[in-house]
Amino acid sequence: MEFRELLLNAFDNVEEAVRGAVEGIDPELLTARIGPGANTVAWLVWHLTRVQDDHVAEVAGRRQAYTDADWADRFALPFGPEATGYGFSDDDVAATRVTDPELLVGYHTDVHQRTAEFLQTVTADDLDRVVDRRWNPPVTLGVRLVSVITDDLQHAGQAAYLRGVLERR
């Protein structure tokens, strides 16, 4: 298996997990919380997609789908389009009121397609390119992509688990 196929397969797994967590869900469950301070399905999926959009667009030298394709306007959330969910307070998570599962899936599908297009351009040598010098050691493209995949799969799994808990209440 070639490295591109491996990365594409991993991002395909993220998209499949997002769809499994969101498609067909009762819209009221998207913003339900299982306890004080708990994340919601909507926030988890929005956040993981924002992070993928932000991080992949940055290393690809492209615009984010969130602003480029007007997803920020469609979500109409009460924070700026640069927000990705990092450092969000309990109130910010609560303000991430998304009750349309298709909005979440549509945004994620757009980001997934943009990610796949970028990955088609990546060479093996590109994986060693330093993309973030704020860390020690500096972060390479390969490490950044694996980090996004790992974070996305973790949050998609949390969203799927949360959906299951909420549906069985």
Side-chain angles (χ1 to χ4, degrees):
M1 176 181 278
E2 184 188 318
F3 77 90
R4 266 191 224 95
E5 292 174 276
L6 184 64
L7 290 170
L8 282 167
N9 182 265
F11 279 107
D12 286 348
N13 288 344
V14 171
E15 184 182 33
E16 184 178 323
V18 164
R19 287 182 180 280
V22 174
E23 284 184 334
I25 194 172
D26 178 336
E28 289 184 19
L29 296 183
L30 286 172
T31 56
R33 298 175 106 171
I34 60 172
N39 290 328
T40 66
V41 171
W43 184 84
L44 287 163
V45 172
W46 174 83
H47 167 64
L48 76 86
T49 305
R50 285 295 298 125
V51 168
Q52 182 177 332
D53 191 9
D54 175 77
H55 286 25
V56 174
E58 181 181 9
V59 298
R62 299 178 180 177
R63 292 174 47 110
Q64 293 181 32
Y66 200 62
T67 51
D68 189 44
D70 298 319
W71 290 106
D73 291 337
R74 288 183 250 182
F75 277 95
L77 296 172
F79 21 83
E82 71 285 348
T84 63
Y86 277 128
F88 265 29
S89 68
D90 181 48
D91 289 340
D92 293 330
V93 172
T96 309
R97 300 228 22 105
V98 181
T99 57
D100 180 359
E102 291 307 312
L103 183 62
L104 290 164
V105 170
Y107 175 44
H108 190 81
T109 298
D110 189 0
V111 170
H112 178 69
Q113 289 171 345
R114 290 168 184 248
T115 299
E117 288 170 9
F118 168 64
L119 291 175
Q120 293 299 333
T121 71
V122 173
T123 67
D125 289 340
D126 289 336
L127 296 176
D128 292 326
R129 175 173 54 95
V130 172
V131 296
D132 191 344
R133 296 192 181 281
R134 295 174 294 176
W135 300 94
N136 186 18
V139 177
T140 63
L141 175 60
V143 168
R144 176 60 46 87
L145 292 172
V146 169
S147 174
V148 169
I149 291 164
T150 303
D151 189 60
D152 280 1
L153 285 172
Q154 182 177 28
H155 286 322
Q158 291 167 347
Y161 176 78
L162 180 55
R163 176 185 179 166
V165 168
L166 291 168
E167 287 178 340
R168 284 163 183 80
R169 272 188 166 180

